[in-house]
């Protein structure tokens, strides 16, 4: 099959960055999103469903058209047999599968119209539109008793950089539909859509929030005012090894508030000290120019605590690395600790716990095998005590560590079998020659466990067993 020039260029960009990382010129991967999509109940059966992004999937002969796979939760957890594969050729989905669209490059879930069914937001950043090539598109797929069977595209146009729309997306649905929101990241800006969402009408977007070279977006309530705050992280810019972290970038003349102290590439929001305010947990996987100033050897995470006044721009974040007390391992160049992050209450103590992906972690002699680290939240002091790590070498976790598997590319969490325990979802975009894979680690009494873990690969879904499917999503931003 012959690639068109756009698809060939994008695949070459990915290969070039990975090769450069192996040669030591660039990091082996660049974090694209904080984590995989939070499991949500799309068909209203009471069980949370898992979304696997497959942006490199070939659809009806169209290379890199992209797809998303929904694995339906059940009393026995997840099964490859209980699934739906959604593409732009699926009934009710706007558009059509075309080469290089990368439908599924980004996803987010929330019950936007508050009808009891979670909805799925899907980015296709290379969608060609009437305005030009690679403008990008974002689609809301509405949940229903039959799953995701219909959708609408978000109205986005114009602005400083109407380009690569859907590089990342975030969604929040709580209270009424009037307080729901969707945030979309494009090449150099973000747009936030704030309620009311219905199947017949969508809210207008905010004015653009200009964040520069774009990295990722997330959302959560950091000041407990009942409305979600947008957190947008730039890519590397302005001499920073990581990017700048902006809060509500559509405010303050379109530039929002940039947090002064700390670089990052990804972020998530969760309450990690149990005070009821959402905290910003950001991943900074880059190697520092000055250790302790703009990063830590092997990567780090940063925590900005929320409050009634939000997060002050001059607040000093708490920083954790693999050299912090209680955190397993040691900071080594290229670990990429902080390449992905998620917050969830695994031990059910009312405080959010942090899971950090280190997709570049070397295990023994296996470079780039990847690892994830569980760090319990705490109501006082600095997190780190009782932390634990997981990899394909952990007892019960299927597979074995191979060069550049990148276990920990993305992480997410949710209870998929309704046993009251939070399960951990981990992806590795490099597994099987970049076909990608996903693992589900069951929730345990106090933390995830390898016992009973499952692995999902492309061949289980009728996809190619190896090469550039990127099952579970890619850590690289789609340039």
């Amino acid at each position: 099959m012959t690639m068109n020039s756009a698809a060939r260029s994008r695949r070459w960009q990915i290969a070039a960055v990975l090769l450069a990382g192996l040669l030591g010129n660039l990091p082996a991967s660049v974090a694209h999103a904080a984590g995989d999509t939070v499991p949500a109940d799309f068909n209203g059966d009471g069980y949370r469903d898992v979304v696997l992004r497959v942006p490199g999937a070939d659809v009806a002969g169209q290379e890199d058209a992209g797809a998303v796979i929904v694995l339906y939760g059940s009393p026995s957890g997840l099964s490859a047999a209980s699934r739906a594969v959604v593409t732009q050729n699926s009934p009710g989905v706007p558009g059509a599968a075309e080469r290089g669209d990368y439908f599924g490059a980004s996803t987010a879930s929330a019950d936007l119209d508050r009808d009891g069914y979670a909805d799925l937001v899907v980015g296709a950043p290379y969608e060609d539109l009437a305005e030009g090539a690679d403008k990008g598109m974002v689609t809301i797929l509405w949940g229903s008793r039959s799953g995701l069977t219909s959708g609408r595209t978000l109205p986005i146009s114009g602005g400083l950089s109407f380009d690569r729309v859907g590089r990342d997306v975030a969604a929040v649905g709580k209270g009424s539909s009037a307080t729901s929101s969707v945030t979309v990241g494009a090449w150099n800006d973000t747009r936030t859509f704030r309620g009311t969402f219905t199947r017949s009408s969508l809210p207008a977007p905010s004015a653009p929030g200009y964040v520069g070279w774009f990295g990722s977006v997330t959302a959560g309530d950091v000041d407990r005012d009942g409305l979600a705050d947008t957190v947008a992280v730039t890519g590397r810019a302005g001499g920073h090894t990581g990017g700048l972290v902006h809060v509500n970038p559509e405010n303050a003349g379109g530039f929002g508030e940039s947090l002064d102290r700390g670089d990052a590439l990804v972020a998530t929001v969760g309450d990690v000290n149990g005070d009821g305010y959402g905290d910003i947990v950001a991943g900074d996987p880059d190697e520092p120019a000055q250790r302790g100033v703009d990063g830590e050897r092997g990567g780090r995470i940063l925590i900005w605590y929320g409050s009634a006044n939000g997060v002050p721009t001059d607040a000093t974040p708490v920083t954790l690395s693999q050299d912090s007390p209680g955190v397993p391992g040691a900071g080594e160049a290229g670990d990429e600790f902080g390449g992905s992050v998620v917050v969830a209450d695994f031990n059910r103590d009312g405080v959010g716990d942090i899971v950090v992906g280190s997709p570049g972690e070397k295990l023994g002699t296996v470079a780039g095998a990847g690892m994830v680290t569980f760090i319990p939240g705490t109501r006082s002091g600095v997190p780190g005590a009782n932390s634990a790590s997981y990899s394909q070498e952990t007892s019960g976790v299927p597979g074995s560590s191979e060069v550049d598997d990148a276990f920990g590319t993305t992480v997410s969490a949710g209870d998929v079998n309704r046993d009251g325990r939070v399960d951990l979802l981990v992806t590795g975009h490099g597994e099987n020659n970049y076909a990608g894979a996903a693992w589900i680690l069951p929730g345990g009494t106090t933390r995830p466990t390898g016992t009973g873990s499952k692995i999902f690969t492309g061949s289980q879904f009728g996809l190619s067993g190896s090469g550039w499917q990127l099952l579970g999503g890619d850590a690289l931003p789609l340039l």
Side-chain angles (χ1 to χ4, degrees):
M1 207 176 283
T2 302
M3 282 189 250
N4 70 352
S5 59
R8 184 187 304 111
S9 171
R10 283 188 284 277
R11 288 192 175 189
W12 168 246
Q13 288 167 349
I14 293 173
V17 173
L18 291 166
L19 177 60
L22 295 174
L23 294 177
N25 296 325
L26 289 172
S29 69
V30 180
H32 159 61
D36 218 337
T37 304
V38 174
D41 186 4
F42 299 112
N43 60 0
D45 65 355
Y47 294 92
R48 291 175 179 265
D49 311 314
V50 164
V51 174
L52 299 179
R53 302 191 294 263
V54 201
D58 299 340
V59 179
Q62 301 298 310
E63 292 180 319
D64 301 330
V68 294
I69 297 172
V70 178
L71 298 178
Y72 291 108
S74 74
S76 58
L78 304 178
S79 166
S82 181
R83 70 178 189 265
V85 179
V86 182
T87 74
Q88 287 181 291
N89 283 353
S90 298
V93 178
E98 300 164 318
R99 287 187 176 185
D101 282 349
Y102 278 84
F103 178 81
S106 61
T107 53
S109 59
D111 183 2
L112 297 171
D113 57 359
R114 308 304 294 159
D115 65 351
Y117 299 97
D119 310 306
L120 183 65
V121 183
V122 184
Y126 287 103
E127 181 79 25
D128 293 342
L129 303 178
E131 292 88 343
D134 297 340
K135 291 299 181 183
M137 185 171 76
V138 173
T139 301
I140 297 176
L141 300 177
W142 304 108
S144 71
R145 187 175 296 277
S146 301
L148 303 169
T149 58
S150 64
R152 293 195 63 181
T153 58
L154 284 172
I156 304 175
S157 63
L160 176 69
S161 183
F162 172 44
D163 207 14
R164 313 304 202 275
V165 169
R167 281 166 57 88
D168 203 9
V169 292
V172 174
K174 63 178 183 178
S176 70
S177 179
T179 57
S180 295
S181 67
V182 172
T183 298
V184 175
W187 187 248
N188 273 319
D189 61 37
T190 65
R191 313 287 176 91
T192 296
F193 297 77
R194 298 190 184 275
T196 298
F197 290 82
T198 72
R199 300 192 182 206
S200 59
S201 65
L202 299 174
S206 66
Y210 300 126
V211 297
W213 176 260
F214 180 75
S216 63
V217 294
T218 190
D221 190 354
V222 299
D223 55 7
R224 209 163 63 185
D225 66 352
L227 299 175
D229 300 289
T230 297
V231 179
V233 187
T234 72
R236 301 175 184 89
H240 297 268
T241 55
L244 302 177
V245 180
H246 295 266
V247 180
N248 295 320
E250 65 270 23
N251 296 342
F255 289 90
E257 299 176 318
S258 175
L259 303 182
D260 292 341
R261 305 170 188 267
D263 304 333
L265 288 174
V266 297
T268 191
V269 176
D271 182 7
V272 299
N273 64 354
D275 66 355
Y277 295 96
D279 308 312
I280 299 172
V281 181
D284 180 17
D286 278 359
E287 295 302 314
Q290 301 179 65
R291 187 174 181 180
V293 176
D294 62 347
E296 291 290 342
R297 181 177 173 85
R300 64 178 180 174
I301 62 170
L302 306 97
I303 305 170
W304 284 274
Y305 292 107
S307 70
N309 297 316
V311 178
T313 58
D314 60 351
T316 300
V318 169
T319 62
L320 294 173
S321 72
Q322 287 183 287
D323 291 326
S324 297
V327 178
E332 301 166 317
D335 284 346
E336 297 179 292
F337 181 84
S340 56
V341 288
V342 69
V343 173
D345 187 4
F346 289 90
N347 56 16
R348 295 170 291 174
D349 64 352
V351 180
D353 308 307
I354 306 168
V355 175
V356 184
S358 306
E361 182 79 29
K362 182 178 181 180
L363 298 178
T365 61
V366 183
M371 184 176 80
V372 300
T373 302
F374 167 79
I375 304 174
T378 177
R379 294 183 185 274
S380 62
V382 176
N386 301 313
S387 296
S389 62
Y390 303 85
S391 71
Q392 291 184 79
E393 304 307 307
T394 299
S395 178
V397 176
S400 59
S401 297
E402 300 169 310
V403 173
D404 293 335
D405 277 351
F407 183 88
T409 297
T410 67
V411 288
S412 188
D415 181 2
V416 300
N417 60 358
R418 213 164 65 182
D419 66 353
R421 298 176 176 180
V422 176
D423 308 302
L424 175 63
L425 179 71
V426 181
T427 70
H429 78 277
E431 181 78 17
N432 297 330
N433 191 28
Y434 300 100
W439 293 259
I440 185 79
L441 279 64
T445 303
T446 59
R447 65 189 192 195
T449 175
T451 303
S453 297
K454 297 179 181 179
I455 186 174
F456 299 97
T457 61
S459 59
Q460 294 171 274
F461 308 116
L463 302 173
S464 172
S466 66
W468 301 112
Q469 301 295 309
L470 303 176
L471 175 68
D474 189 11
L476 296 163
L478 298 173
L479 302 176

